[in-house]
Amino acid sequence: MERLLLQTKLYIPQTRVANLVPRPRLIEQLNEGLHRTPSVILISAPAGFGKTTLVSDWLHQNKVPTAWLSLDEGDNDPTRFLTYLVAALQTIAPTIGADVLAMLHSPQPPPIEAMLTVLVNDITTLPDHFTLILDDYHVIEAKAIDKALTFLLDHLPPPLHLVIATREDPPLPLARLRARDQLTELRAADLRFTPDEAATFLNEVMGLSLSAEEVTSLESRAEGWIAGLQLAALSIRGRADVAGFIKAFAGDNRYIVDYLVEEVLQRQPEPVRNFLLETSILDRLSGPLCNAVTGQGESKARLEALERGNLFVIPLDDKRHWYRYHHLFVDVLRVHLMEEQPDRVRTLHQRASEWYEQNGSAAEAIRHALAAKDFERAAYLIERAVPAMRRSRQEVTLLGWLKALPDEVIQCRPVLSVHYAGTLLQSGQLDGVEDRLRDAERWFDPMANMGEMAVVDEAEFHGLPGWIAIYHAGMALVRGDVAGTVTYARRALDLVPEADHLGRGAAAALLGLAYWTSGDLETAYQTYAEGMARVQRAGHLSDALGCAIALADIRLAQGRLREAMSIYERGLKLATEQGAPPPAVRGAADMYVGMSELLRERDDLNAATQHLLRSKELGEFAGLPQNRYRWCVAMARIRKVQGDLDGALDLLDEAERLYMGDFFPNVRPVAAWKTRVWVAQGRLGEALGWAREQGLSAQDDLSYLHEFEYITLARVLLTRYKRDRTDSPLREAIGLLERLLQAAEEGGRTGSAIEILVLQALAHQALGDISTALLPLQQALTLAEPEGYVRTFLDEGPPMAQLLREAAAREIMPDYTGRLLKVFKAEPSSSEGASPLPASPPLIEPLSQRELEVLRLFKTELSGPEIADELVIGLSTLRTHTKSIYSKLNVNSRRAAVNRAEELGLI
């Protein structure tokens, strides 16, 4: 049944030739739209202007390969929308979007933009152009879908021509498309029948014999509105006083529809009239369904007769099994039904719900049960449907159903209450989670008088206590209640059966995250590793790869780089094994990001960059890395090493926008990384502003969760001392570093300890006390050598080189210091503190007008994405312009580009 309903959404309407009015002027406009590359055609007009008929006629005249998707209110769930979009595209090529469908149904789908990237790449491989029709786009209200379509418009692949038919302009970047000459628009003024078209329609299509004067009068009163003319024609049939009817025919479109539908209904035989009213509750019509709803037979023949009579019945498949009423017509039919037979409406919806349940369409069965306000039945159907809905990631639709149920209905269904809580938590809607968990918990209190319980699956009910504890643990972790998380996660492990690998894996993972947040890293690692193994055993491969990222992060904090690399390598092998699903391939992209960070620390910048590029390639194939912001941070750190500090900041700005909080502790916030770049740029004011915004001071109580920020604060204080030459910042930094070192050593966080010791050495060096400086430096070198640390020392620049020379002179770890000094000598000068670039010769190739506009905005504080928005261009286009500017000016950063352009008088 679901497949049959899907086919009705993908069906290209077949308007009978006898019903068509030739409209060559509009067909020509549509054909011209196809000559744009890429091309978007917007057909925007109120109901009844023939949008769908026009597009159908155009497609059949031109035989253009076409994918068609008819939208309805249920498509506001992003997962469902994307599923149907792929299904439509697969009518062009069966393999398009296969990986996207696999991602959609994975336990942890990537963002929609990432999946659309995969879809765009699939479409790009097609050899022939085709058209995608999105019909009735006005029913879409979900901002996530508007955002997804905007992404598609910004990356429209050449083979695809997009047509959007809608009653109102969608919230899409239409102005940008107009500016690029990529948009063809047809509106109500274009779609109205001309007098000649009206005459053809009324006399030839509708079979009337009106005089030219009567046609003109009727057309002028309807103002070319096609639905109005069709309703008028149906009312005129068999009427003696045509002139009197036309004279009375006036008013706005809504009034005309109400008036004319009533006229049409009154002229129908009673059985036909009752059929129209009773079946108006249905979005789609078939003979068997209408038989069930009306309680009578012969519905198939009735539908065929209505279509032949042009009574606003539209076929939805070639075999005429499924139909729908015109939207305007059905709206008025429903009003009449409510006015004339209000007591019948509930029964009609109940019959429809029962028919859909028997025929395997849970979603439609639930929708009609809710419409009937038969909440007990709806709750029963929803409880049965929950597992499939959550597996297919349709949380938006599921939450809509659950929120439509009265509280008293949910409260007597403990299984549904727990599913409700889990869906809210998974969707990031925390309000109501604990209320629903308490509703379920009452059923396990022997002292509570709860009345009669409703349960679909008894076994699922008996397993609820473990999942209740898991969701409580998740809520505690989100609130930052580490002790509560530990308590509930341990309770879950006591309750969840040994055979339930997913439940035990979730509980162990939450427990590990709690230990990680508190800084107990070794316990966190062991517990989280157990969770990863369980999740993997349950078949949730992409979740297991997400666990690998966390385990490697923990090892990095412990200073165990080699183990972290092994974790990433094992994860990569797992993700790329033969037969791994696309979500796992996406996990491979994340493994490459982590490996890149480790290679950067080893000073293998070329390999680090190549790993990020490989991650990007995989991201374009299977969705961007699961944690996209991490890719930006990793590339920013490479840019910083290369001296491109402006480029690093642009990437960190993007990382900040991409970051989405989850259960992982945010132990290295992007804002702190940005502050470190500001320090390198000498922008002390911004760095101090960050410290004030975060409420950080050297005297604060310390916690592991904010350790990275306090180490960053120490860097800010050292930089302030160098600028102001007052003792206070330096003393504050030294005191803060001493406390940080003690905490890191007690927590076994060797990675943090190495950086803290390096900063202690630089602080004492700043005081001129080289002997004292060498003590923490020796400790840092001792901890760092076995794991192959390099950049941690090199990134500190000339002061560290001087200290290493002092250490070498005193034979402190001579082999290691020798290797580091050798790398220092090979280190190219960074853009900060280096000699000015030699004067470049005049430009061989001039900058374009657009490149000059980009250059002028480089002088502002706008980030890369903000510049792209200002110029109404895509981020990828901005990168292309930037690359060209750098090449022409022989520079490698925004600041250098601005300086060079000013030297040449270009800006």
Side-chain angles (χ1 to χ4, degrees):
M1 174 53 62
E2 294 292 350
R3 182 177 294 277
L4 288 174
L5 293 178
L6 173 61
Q7 288 172 356
T8 67
K9 295 176 69 65
L10 308 183
Y11 176 70
I12 302 175
Q14 307 280 328
T15 306
R16 289 188 291 139
V17 175
N19 290 353
L20 290 176
V21 174
R23 313 200 74 185
R25 60 189 176 86
L26 299 181
I27 299 295
E28 184 177 350
Q29 283 182 261
L30 292 170
N31 287 337
E32 289 175 358
L34 294 181
H35 296 147
R36 293 181 165 91
T37 303
S39 75
V40 179
I41 297 174
L42 176 69
I43 305 174
S44 179
F49 273 89
K51 299 182 292 294
T52 301
T53 301
L54 171 64
V55 176
S56 174
D57 182 24
W58 170 56
L59 295 175
H60 288 105
Q61 282 191 41
N62 290 276
K63 306 298 182 186
V64 180
T66 301
W68 186 290
L69 177 57
S70 296
L71 298 166
D72 57 47
E73 287 82 357
D75 298 330
N76 278 287
D77 185 312
T79 299
R80 178 177 292 192
F81 175 84
L82 195 50
T83 299
Y84 289 158
L85 179 63
V86 170
L89 292 170
Q90 288 183 342
T91 63
I92 299 296
T95 59
I96 287 182
D99 292 333
V100 174
L101 292 179
M103 292 177 200
L104 278 170
H105 299 118
S106 67
Q108 193 174 16
I112 261 196
E113 291 87 348
M115 290 185 278
L116 285 173
T117 300
V118 179
L119 197 57
V120 166
N121 289 335
D122 281 357
I123 295 170
T124 304
T125 64
L126 296 180
D128 300 319
H129 285 237
F130 70 96
T131 302
L132 169 64
I133 315 292
L134 297 180
D135 195 21
D136 289 335
Y137 191 80
H138 56 271
V139 301
I140 297 300
E141 298 175 349
K143 291 181 180 179
I145 295 177
D146 290 331
K147 184 180 176 184
L149 193 56
T150 297
F151 180 90
L152 183 61
L153 291 171
D154 284 340
H155 302 84
L156 209 60
L160 173 61
H161 303 281
L162 180 63
V163 179
I164 301 171
T166 175
R167 293 185 190 176
E168 58 192 33
D169 281 6
L172 301 172
L174 302 180
R176 187 187 309 168
L177 294 170
R178 288 189 197 104
R180 297 173 181 170
D181 193 30
Q182 295 173 356
L183 183 66
T184 300
E185 299 175 79
L186 292 179
R187 299 188 174 276
D190 304 299
L191 297 173
R192 296 181 195 279
F193 271 165
T194 64
D196 288 344
E197 290 169 340
T200 300
F201 177 74
L202 292 167
N203 287 334
E204 296 181 20
V205 174
M206 299 303 294
L208 304 179
S209 299
L210 302 182
S211 67
E213 183 180 348
E214 289 170 333
V215 169
T216 300
S217 178
L218 198 56
E219 187 276 329
S220 65
R221 289 173 184 270
E223 297 181 335
W225 183 45
I226 300 168
L229 289 171
Q230 185 174 357
L231 283 164
L234 290 168
S235 298
I236 287 171
R237 283 177 178 172
R239 186 183 293 273
D241 184 14
V242 173
F245 172 81
I246 293 174
K247 187 175 181 180
F249 177 45
D252 62 25
N253 288 357
R254 185 72 263 172
Y255 170 80
I256 290 171
V257 170
D258 292 345
Y259 170 70
L260 290 178
V261 170
E262 188 166 351
E263 285 283 312
V264 171
L265 283 175
Q266 285 178 353
R267 299 173 70 81
Q268 302 304 316
E270 192 64 22
V272 174
R273 191 176 188 280
N274 283 337
F275 180 86
L276 290 170
L277 292 178
E278 290 179 352
T279 57
S280 68
I281 67 157
L282 302 169
D283 288 341
R284 296 177 184 83
L285 312 161
S286 74
L289 172 58
C290 292
N291 286 342
V293 170
T294 63
Q296 300 181 20
E298 304 299 326
S299 293
K300 186 176 189 300
R302 184 92 67 193
L303 290 168
E304 291 169 351
L306 290 172
E307 187 201 356
R308 286 194 302 272
N310 290 313
L311 208 58
F312 291 93
V313 175
I314 300 166
L316 296 178
D317 59 41
D318 287 326
K319 296 180 180 179
R320 280 3 189 217
H321 287 163
W322 287 92
Y323 299 82
R324 70 170 174 86
Y325 291 127
H326 190 287
H327 298 309
L328 276 174
F329 192 56
V330 78
D331 287 346
V332 181
L333 289 177
R334 287 170 181 170
V335 171
H336 278 270
L337 176 64
M338 287 299 298
E339 289 175 350
E340 297 176 24
Q341 305 178 37
D343 296 337
R344 290 271 293 157
V345 174
R346 186 171 191 268
T347 300
L348 295 171
H349 278 296
Q350 285 175 322
R351 289 175 177 176
S353 177
E354 290 167 5
W355 187 89
Y356 274 118
E357 181 193 3
Q358 292 164 9
N359 287 273
S361 179
E364 288 298 315
I366 291 165
R367 188 176 69 81
H368 282 287
L370 290 172
K373 299 192 183 306
D374 188 347
F375 296 121
E376 290 295 336
R377 173 177 173 76
Y380 165 79
L381 293 170
I382 293 169
E383 188 168 325
R384 282 203 324 183
V386 163
M389 293 296 289
R390 292 187 70 176
R391 277 197 304 272
S392 61
R393 313 303 300 180
Q394 295 188 58
E395 283 91 356
V396 173
T397 299
L398 181 56
L399 280 177
W401 293 341
L402 291 166
K403 289 177 180 179
L405 295 175
D407 282 350
E408 58 269 20
V409 173
I410 296 174
Q411 286 166 355
C412 71
R413 291 182 170 273
V415 173
L416 198 59
S417 295
V418 173
H419 280 311
Y420 197 166
T423 306
L424 286 169
L425 185 59
Q426 197 166 22
S427 303
Q429 300 181 37
L430 305 184
D431 291 344
V433 172
E434 292 184 324
D435 289 340
R436 293 305 170 201
L437 293 176
R438 278 193 292 270
D439 288 342
E441 285 173 311
R442 292 189 187 103
W443 291 99
F444 295 93
D445 182 355
M447 304 301 294
N449 182 13
M450 297 294 293
E452 187 175 353
M453 179 176 68
V455 169
V456 173
D457 184 338
E458 283 288 338
E460 193 172 5
F461 168 73
H462 291 301
L464 287 184
W467 282 101
I468 291 171
I470 288 169
Y471 293 142
H472 272 311
M475 281 297 294
L477 189 61
V478 169
R479 290 196 307 264
D481 178 5
V482 174
T485 306
V486 171
T487 298
Y488 281 116
R490 285 177 174 167
R491 183 184 301 172
L493 288 172
D494 290 338
L495 293 169
V496 176
E498 183 66 29
D500 184 353
H501 296 302
L502 182 60
R504 294 192 69 82
L510 286 166
L511 188 58
L513 289 170
Y515 290 134
W516 184 9
T517 302
S518 66
D520 185 356
L521 298 191
E522 189 55 36
T523 306
Y525 183 89
Q526 299 301 329
T527 309
Y528 206 78
E530 169 63 18
M532 176 181 173
R534 288 278 189 174
V535 167
Q536 186 177 341
R537 204 175 306 170
H540 290 236
L541 186 56
S542 61
D543 285 333
L545 292 170
C547 293
I549 295 171
L551 292 175
D553 274 353
I554 292 171
R555 285 303 191 226
L556 283 171
Q558 292 177 306
R560 294 157 76 167
L561 306 189
R562 300 186 192 282
E563 284 189 46
M565 181 62 86
S566 295
I567 292 168
Y568 285 130
E569 288 170 346
R570 289 195 299 272
L572 184 61
K573 182 180 179 183
L574 183 65
T576 55
E577 284 178 346
Q578 189 173 5
V585 178
R586 186 178 75 249
D590 296 314
M591 298 302 107
Y592 277 113
V593 172
M595 294 165 76
S596 170
E597 286 274 54
L598 293 165
L599 291 165
R600 185 204 59 80
E601 178 57 46
R602 294 176 184 172
D603 197 40
D604 192 345
L605 298 186
N606 182 57
T609 303
Q610 290 304 312
H611 273 63
L612 287 181
L613 294 177
R614 178 59 179 145
S615 171
K616 189 175 182 182
E617 288 172 8
L618 283 173
E620 289 172 350
F621 169 71
L624 292 173
Q626 186 169 315
N627 297 300
R628 293 186 293 167
Y629 86 95
R630 295 171 72 103
W631 190 97
C632 293
V633 170
M635 186 60 85
R637 297 188 73 191
I638 291 174
R639 291 278 183 270
K640 183 172 180 286
V641 170
Q642 294 169 337
D644 182 6
L645 301 181
D646 289 333
L649 279 179
D650 282 344
L651 284 161
L652 291 172
D653 285 339
E654 190 169 353
E656 212 161 25
R657 280 187 294 276
L658 290 171
Y659 178 76
M660 294 177 63
D662 54 18
F663 292 115
F664 281 20
N666 188 17
V667 292
R668 291 187 290 178
V670 176
W673 286 118
K674 287 174 64 175
T675 301
R676 291 179 175 219
V677 178
W678 286 336
V679 167
Q681 289 179 316
R683 294 163 64 177
L684 187 59
E686 285 97 326
L688 290 168
W690 163 80
R692 284 193 298 272
E693 285 177 13
Q694 302 302 316
L696 302 176
S697 79
Q699 290 74 42
D700 293 342
D701 291 335
L702 302 179
S703 70
Y704 167 64
L705 198 56
H706 299 288
E707 184 173 75
F708 185 77
E709 292 167 286
Y710 281 109
I711 296 173
T712 303
L713 175 62
R715 289 182 175 278
V716 174
L717 292 170
L718 289 174
T719 303
R720 187 174 186 181
Y721 166 75
K722 292 175 185 177
R723 186 194 70 177
D724 298 344
R725 289 298 167 181
T726 56
D727 286 347
S728 177
L730 184 59
R731 296 298 176 191
E732 285 186 349
I734 290 173
L736 175 60
L737 290 167
E738 286 175 356
R739 294 194 299 127
L740 283 167
L741 181 61
Q742 181 180 351
E745 288 177 338
E746 289 173 355
R749 300 188 291 273
T750 303
S752 298
I754 291 170
E755 184 180 4
I756 295 165
L757 289 163
V758 164
L759 291 178
Q760 281 186 324
L762 294 172
H764 289 294
Q765 180 191 38
L767 283 171
D769 189 349
I770 300 300
S771 296
T772 303
L774 291 175
L775 296 175
L777 178 61
Q778 184 171 2
Q779 287 181 264
L781 291 168
T782 302
L783 295 172
E785 183 183 27
E787 298 295 330
Y789 280 85
V790 176
R791 289 293 345 162
T792 293
F793 298 95
L794 264 62
D795 287 348
E796 304 304 334
M800 177 53 64
Q802 181 185 349
L803 274 180
L804 287 171
R805 284 193 290 271
E806 293 285 351
R810 303 182 192 198
E811 296 189 349
I812 296 173
M813 302 191 68
D815 292 342
Y816 192 27
T817 54
R819 289 199 302 273
L820 291 174
L821 286 169
K822 185 177 180 180
V823 179
F824 253 118
K825 289 177 182 177
E827 181 83 347
S829 298
S830 70
S831 61
E832 297 301 314
S835 302
L837 289 170
S840 301
L843 296 182
I844 298 174
E845 182 183 354
L847 295 172
S848 69
Q849 187 61 40
R850 178 61 91 183
E851 287 167 350
L852 287 170
E853 291 173 0
V854 172
L855 255 177
R856 293 186 187 101
L857 291 174
F858 275 180
K859 293 184 68 175
T860 69
E861 294 297 316
L862 294 177
S863 67
E866 288 169 338
I867 291 175
D869 289 343
E870 182 74 18
L871 295 175
V872 197
I873 60 176
L875 193 56
S876 59
T877 303
L878 176 64
R879 293 192 184 107
T880 300
H881 288 314
T882 302
K883 184 177 179 181
S884 177
I885 291 168
Y886 286 2
S887 175
K888 291 177 181 180
L889 296 179
N890 191 27
V891 296
N892 64 0
S893 72
R894 276 177 62 167
R895 179 178 294 181
V898 170
N899 292 340
R900 176 68 177 135
E902 288 176 339
E903 289 172 12
L904 296 171
L906 298 174
I907 56 175

